[in-house]
Amino acid sequence: MTAYTTDRVLATGGPAEGRDLGLSGARRPRVTVVQSSPDVTLDRFTDWLTDVDVHLVRADLGEPVPGPTDVGDGLVVLGGHMTAHDDVRAPWLPALRALLAVVSATDVPALGICLGAQLLAVARGGQVQVAAPPGREAGVVDVRWRPEAEQDALLSGLALAAGPARTTPQPSMHADAVVDLPRGAVWLASSSVYPFQAFRIGSAWGVQFHPEASRATLQAWADAHEDVDTDAVLAQVDARADEVESAGRALAGAFAGVVRARAAVRAPV
């Protein structure tokens, strides 16, 4: 497990005491991030997840998926190039689905991004279709917020800021998709291509889009797919760069805020 914070690197090894302490001496909330592909990283969230310590688990490099009691105050599950059912190619996926199933049923905030959202849906009884018929959704998509999002602890800021259009531009790159939400999930957003762009179940959120993705990351992903026009993707990114960054930063900040609030409630007196 690699440990680092959003504003400074923590040395691994040695005594753990004091490694979570901010300047005030209070314990900083800890968020576990699970990475499943080398080029699907925390990216811009590294700087945008503020006032939390982030512990990165490189599942793709063989680091074990933590148990539910080891994730700390929050959990982020990143995307990846495998499918949500690709247990042979990615043998850590069963443990990751089990982790999401348990954590989402507690009070620990969790965020699944793209593949992470699909794993969350499957873990809680929903369905994901591989190579869904509408085809790959690539570039910048308009995420349309449903009324439920306006009351959501994580996404209300984005939904309310969207104004009458009720849409927020966000990066996207996926061909698989959630086609049935788990029982009890709250549907929060859609797009013109795929209906389930955001949902919440228990203490966990799934977003099909990539709020963390930078221009360089999207370019690399686009270049890797023959069915994607890289120039078109970059043109969309450049045309809406400020909106995309603002929304991604807001979502990261909101998630960090949810984590900090949860940690404060559970902090020993």
Side-chain angles (χ1 to χ4, degrees), residues 173-195:
M173 188 68 67
H174 71 104
D176 301 350
V178 177
V179 293
D180 283 308
L181 290 179
R183 183 185 299 273
V186 180
W187 183 14
L188 298 170
S190 63
S191 74
S192 61
V193 178
Y194 287 103

Side-chain angles (χ1 to χ4, degrees), residues 33-123:
V33 176
V34 181
Q35 183 174 332
S36 291
S37 288
D39 62 339
V40 188
T41 70
L42 202 58
D43 208 341
R44 298 202 287 186
F45 269 24
T46 301
D47 295 323
W48 294 347
L49 287 172
T50 55
D51 297 322
V52 298
D53 286 344
V54 174
H55 289 245
L56 179 64
V57 176
R58 290 294 304 271
D60 58 316
L61 297 182
E63 294 183 354
V65 173
T69 61
D70 299 321
V71 299
D73 302 296
L75 172 68
V76 176
V77 177
L78 299 173
H81 296 294
M82 63 289 298
T83 76
H85 304 282
D86 203 349
D87 297 354
V88 173
R89 181 181 176 188
W92 60 89
L93 290 187
L96 192 48
R97 291 193 298 267
L99 176 64
L100 284 165
V102 174
V103 168
S104 64
T106 68
D107 64 343
V108 177
L111 175 64
I113 298 173
C114 199
L115 172 66
Q118 296 166 11
L119 290 167
L120 173 62
V122 171

Side-chain angles (χ1 to χ4, degrees), residues 139-143 168-172 209-212 243-244 247-248 251:
V140 176
V141 302
D142 283 315
V143 176
T168 299
Q170 280 291 273
S172 183
F209 50 92
H210 278 280
E212 84 291 359
E243 295 176 88
V244 167
L251 195 156

